[in-house]
Structure formats: C-alpha cells, structure tokens
Amino acid sequence: MMAEEQKNEVETEVAIHTDVLETIFSHVPLIHLLSASTVCKSWNAAVFSSLRRFNKPKPWLLVHTQSTRTPYATTAFAYDPRSNIWLQINKKLPPKHVSALRSSDSTLLYVLTPSKFSFSIGPLHLTWHHVNPPAVWRTDPIVSLVGHRIIVAGGSCDFEDDPLAVEIYDINTRTWERSESMPATLKDSAASTWLSVSANTQIMFLMEHMSGVTHSFNPNSKIWSGPYDLRPDRSIYFSVIGFHGDSLIMVGLLGDFENLNDVKVWELKGESLEYCKEIGVMPKDLMQKLKGEGTSFSSIKVSSMADFFYIYNPGEPGELVVLEVSDEGLCRWGCLKNAAVSDRSRVAERLVLTCCDVGLGDIGRAVGSGNGTFTVIKN
C-alpha cells in the first residue's frame, strides 16, 4: 500500500513537472528549443507537446538581400512570429548568382539566365536546383510553384514570337513542356511587374494590379479560366492577392496615387470567385507607416502563407504591416520593423520576400548538416 502511494506521488510530481516544462517552453524561441529537445527524453517530449498544445509554430517571413554589384552577394534574414524575433541565417555556402534574385509568389526563389534556371523551394531556401532554362527567353516572367510543377509565363523579350508563352517544369520528371499561352486579355500586362500571383497545390491565379482582371490556370488540364472582375469597390486603384486556405484574400488601395483613402481586405470564394466579402480595414496609423514619407503611394507587395500576410511598400520597405486572418475571417493587424533594411540597403541591395513553414525538424536539419546556423538580431 505504501509503495503504491509513493508511486502515485512520483507520477503526480512528474505530471506537474511536465506541465511546467511545457509552459516554460511555450515562451522559448523556436531555434532555442532545438537544444532543449536533446537534453533527455522527457524534455524532448515536453518540447513537442508544448509546440502542439500551446505556442504552435507559425510561418516565417524570409527577407533575402542581394548586392546590386558584383559578386552579387546574398544575405538572408528571417522573422519568426511565434517567437517575435528576427534572425540572420548564416549559410555555409551562400549561393552566388550572376543575375537578379527574384520571386513572383511567396514560396519560390529563382534566378534565370540564358544558360540556366536556378530555383529554391524548400524551407529556409538552403538548397538550390539548377536546370536547363525554358525555351523562350524571358526578362520579367511570372514564375510560380503549383504542386510539383513550376509555371513560367509571359515576361518574354520583344524578339520572341509569343509574348504570352507558357512553359511548365515538372520537378519529378525534370522536364519542360509547352502549354496553352496566357489569355489575350493579359497581352499588355504579361509580366510579374504588372500582375499579382498566388498559387496553391492545384491552381494559380493572376490578377492585374491596376484593373483587377483575374485569370486562373490549372497545370493538370493546362487550361486557363476567366476573366474574373475583382473590383468590389470601384475606388480601388491597386490590389494584390494571396491564398488563405481555400479562399483568396485581396488587399486593395482605395483612392488614387496622390490621395490614399483606405486599405481594405476582402475574402474571395467560389469557382468563379463570385463570393466576395469585405473582412477588414487597415488602421490609419498603420496605413501611414505603410505609405512612408512619400507624397504619393502607387503600389504595395504582399508575401503570405497560411494565416499571415506581410504587406509592404516596395519604395519604402523599412516598415512591414502584418495581417493575420483567422479561420473565421477576422483580421488582426500589427507592424514590424524590417531588420534587413538599412540606409545602405536602400540604395545598394535588392530585397526579395518569401514565406515558409519552418518546424523544429527543419532547423535541426539545417544545423545538423552544417548548411545553416542562426543568429538572433537584437532590437
């Protein structure tokens, strides 16, 4: 009887100890949980239980900088919203590119030259793949990851026969194939400069920033659909899109270049995006941060994944507005200083933003392989 009572007391103490550990770990930055998970089996279990039950991992924002001068050195920074910290990603062998680092959507980085197409799609972008370039030479294409396929559309040089040409690279078979060209309605805007791009594992959407005219492309059927008119408010003069679950989220600037009145958010659903609901308005103080000190405000960009949308002014990227959309369609707003921006980077470096899901396993593989380490950037 005494032995059973002692056993129950020990189990109670262990249970309390585990609960305390899980609570403590919920306040520890994700990168520091890696070492905590290796202390012993009970700590390892407490770390993963804490990540499941309490403070779950959230998509990271990655900011990639590239020098505009030879040798075009690159640096990567990351913001972890779960831990509310900025990190510098120290790569063992930073990639060397002889052309501009680019991203059309939020998940894929690429570099395109006449002799090579290089791309990175994994968490933290520590691994690059190098393949033959598409047959059509392009300077400003739309490049988007849809499932296991990379869609390369438009952006072709003036001497090419088809400015709307579409080519698909299959990551599994490592082959290129031509597809149906982009719709003729996009012939004057068939470049990433003029289009907002968002894709999930099955379909890609392209929307003209200025008009809201939108088309979708299914790489399985190789069929384009649309156009869809995404202008629920005729005072929208510029807009961008991003996926949230099965819905599209549209962020629109209302007014005109010289007089920004509002920044609003809509949720779009349905086969033809016929269901449209306004779900949020950016607070005025954040709108002013986004606009910056300029007298006019012509455009925004967005990088998104899951519930998080990072909105920024490409002309003044020092301030980021963070939009978190709940499953119920509720908007939560915040702002964030861009740790990658300095007075030097404003004029001497190119900035490219992506988002990625990063788990403890991804951090462990990066550190364990020696390909990457992380340094916390102090405010």
Side-chain angles (χ1 to χ4, degrees):
M1 189 73 174
M2 183 71 70
E4 288 184 5
E5 290 179 356
Q6 290 177 344
K7 181 180 178 182
N8 290 335
E9 288 177 3
V10 170
E11 289 179 348
T12 302
E13 288 175 3
V14 171
I16 294 173
H17 181 58
T18 300
D19 288 344
V20 171
L21 267 180
E22 290 179 3
T23 303
I24 293 172
F25 288 153
S26 70
H27 298 283
V28 176
L30 192 63
I31 57 165
H32 296 325
L33 287 179
L34 181 63
S35 57
S37 68
T38 63
V39 171
C40 61
K41 289 184 178 180
S42 61
W43 277 44
N44 180 276
V47 165
F48 284 96
S49 178
S50 177
L51 289 173
R52 287 193 305 270
R53 296 177 56 200
F54 299 111
N55 197 356
K56 298 179 181 180
K58 297 174 181 177
W60 285 20
L61 170 70
L62 272 65
V63 182
H64 314 268
T65 69
Q66 182 185 36
S67 172
T68 55
R69 300 175 182 175
T70 185
Y72 308 110
T74 60
T75 306
F77 301 85
Y79 174 70
D80 174 9
R82 173 197 175 274
S83 312
N84 191 29
I85 58 172
W86 278 96
L87 308 164
Q88 182 167 339
I89 304 174
N90 309 302
K91 300 179 182 181
K92 182 179 179 181
L93 296 172
K96 296 181 180 179
H97 304 297
V98 296
S99 189
L101 187 67
R102 298 174 182 269
S103 179
S104 297
D105 65 14
S106 297
T107 59
L108 181 145
L109 277 178
Y110 77 93
V111 175
L112 181 61
T113 69
S115 61
K116 185 168 60 177
F117 175 59
S118 302
F119 63 91
S120 177
I121 56 177
L124 305 173
H125 296 291
L126 296 176
T127 302
W128 282 80
H129 306 272
H130 308 283
V131 302
N132 292 329
V136 176
W137 173 232
R138 308 162 190 270
T139 56
D140 187 23
I142 296 93
V143 181
S144 185
L145 177 68
V146 184
H148 62 275
R149 298 181 177 95
I150 297 176
I151 316 300
V152 181
S156 61
C157 294
D158 293 338
F159 57 77
E160 293 287 353
D161 294 333
D162 183 5
L164 300 170
V166 175
E167 295 174 80
I168 302 175
Y169 180 78
D170 190 308
I171 296 173
N172 293 338
T173 63
R174 302 181 182 180
T175 56
W176 286 98
E177 65 175 323
R178 287 291 291 266
S179 183
E180 179 185 350
S181 295
M182 300 171 70
T185 51
L186 297 175
K187 74 179 176 61
D188 294 326
S189 58
S192 65
T193 300
W194 310 111
L195 296 169
S196 181
V197 184
S198 189
N200 59 16
T201 58
Q202 298 178 321
I203 195 167
M204 174 182 73
F205 282 92
L206 303 180
M207 181 184 68
E208 285 187 343
H209 289 304
M210 311 292 283
S211 70
V213 172
T214 301
H215 288 269
S216 64
F217 178 71
N218 186 324
N220 288 318
S221 63
K222 298 181 178 61
I223 293 176
W224 288 90
S225 301
Y228 315 118
D229 181 12
L230 301 190
R231 279 296 176 265
D233 190 316
R234 290 299 162 186
S235 64
I236 300 173
Y237 67 90
F238 191 94
S239 56
V240 292
I241 52 174
F243 261 103
H244 177 249
D246 295 328
S247 305
L248 275 181
I249 297 295
M250 181 175 71
V251 182
L253 306 182
L254 283 70
D256 56 53
F257 292 169
E258 303 297 330
N259 185 24
L260 174 65
N261 295 327
D262 276 309
V263 180
K264 292 187 176 182
V265 184
W266 289 265
E267 181 182 25
L268 308 161
K269 289 182 179 180
E271 187 174 339
S272 302
L273 304 177
E274 65 275 8
Y275 173 82
C276 181
K277 177 184 178 183
E278 182 182 319
I279 61 172
V281 181
M282 185 181 293
K284 295 295 184 181
D285 60 326
L286 297 185
M287 191 174 79
Q288 189 57 47
K289 285 179 179 289
L290 187 67
K291 181 180 178 182
E293 299 178 359
T295 56
S296 63
F297 189 34
S298 59
S299 67
I300 55 173
K301 288 188 176 183
V302 65
S303 188
S304 66
M305 179 166 282
D307 299 342
F308 284 82
F309 294 76
Y310 296 91
I311 307 163
Y312 63 102
N313 177 354
E316 296 194 28
E319 293 277 356
L320 300 161
V321 172
V322 184
L323 167 63
E324 185 177 0
V325 181
S326 70
D327 292 338
E328 295 76 28
L330 301 176
C331 292
R332 179 182 178 185
W333 298 92
C335 63
L336 184 65
K337 287 279 188 183
N338 189 342
V341 172
S342 63
D343 291 338
R344 176 183 175 277
S345 67
R346 292 176 189 273
V347 295
E349 293 182 340
R350 179 182 294 109
L351 262 65
V352 180
L353 276 65
T354 60
C355 282
C356 61
D357 280 321
V358 177
L360 202 58
D362 300 311
I363 296 173
R365 282 186 288 272
V367 174
S369 65
N371 289 332
T373 59
F374 305 88
T375 304
V376 176
I377 300 174
K378 296 181 180 180
N379 295 331

